[in-house]
Amino acid sequence: MSSTRRICIAALTATCYLTVINALNLLDLSTQRWTLSSPALNISVRGKVPSQVHLDLFEAGVIGDPNTTPTTHSYLLFNGLDTFANISLCGLPVAYTTNQFRQYLFNITSILATSPSCISHSISSPGPELNIYFPS
């Protein structure tokens, strides 16, 4: 192979390599402005890349620290009630049901935490009072 031909092939290879590099036109996503939003929840906060949704929401003050241990929740579980039932706990409404043939699960954590009659236990107030009223 002649030296002229070798130089042409080397020049062609270098030109192709430079063309590929220029065609990539890399974009650094971490320098772009990102918004994390939920129209259904009316939330719009600044987002980052790389990041996680929970960290962006925490930084914006929308949620608590995602790295904390979740709190214990308390539930009432009913495996069938009369067709209509009005349920209250510590004098606060829990739910109103209209279907006898299903299972109901109600989170009562906030009621137990906020109602004074649910928090205090004494001889006059032995503990939480659950009322189920069947209006039928």
Side-chain angles (χ1 to χ4, degrees):
M1 186 183 301
S2 70
S3 61
T4 309
R5 192 169 183 192
R6 276 189 226 147
I7 293 172
C8 274
I9 291 174
L12 180 62
T13 303
T15 303
C16 288
Y17 182 73
L18 289 174
T19 303
V20 169
I21 289 176
N22 289 333
L24 289 177
N25 195 11
L26 299 176
L27 178 63
D28 184 1
L29 297 178
S30 67
T31 62
Q32 304 301 307
R33 183 165 177 87
W34 293 92
T35 302
L36 174 64
S37 64
S38 170
L41 298 175
N42 197 23
I43 295 172
S44 181
V45 299
R46 178 147 166 70
K48 292 181 185 174
V49 172
S51 186
Q52 295 177 1
V53 172
H54 299 94
L55 296 176
D56 293 337
L57 291 172
F58 171 65
E59 190 171 301
V62 175
I63 63 170
D65 188 352
N67 296 319
T68 59
T69 306
T71 59
T72 302
H73 294 279
S74 299
Y75 295 92
L76 282 177
L77 174 65
F78 295 96
N79 287 318
L81 292 165
D82 199 351
T83 303
F84 299 100
N86 193 351
I87 305 161
S88 65
L89 179 65
C90 303
L92 298 173
V94 173
Y96 180 77
T97 64
T98 59
N99 188 340
Q100 179 178 8
F101 303 104
R102 60 166 289 195
Q103 183 181 69
Y104 291 98
L105 181 68
F106 303 110
N107 187 338
I108 56 167
T109 307
S110 62
I111 293 174
L112 292 174
T114 60
S115 174
S117 63
C118 281
I119 296 171
S120 65
H121 299 283
S122 66
I123 294 175
S124 62
S125 173
E129 181 179 355
L130 176 65
N131 291 314
I132 304 172
Y133 174 67
F134 301 106
S136 53

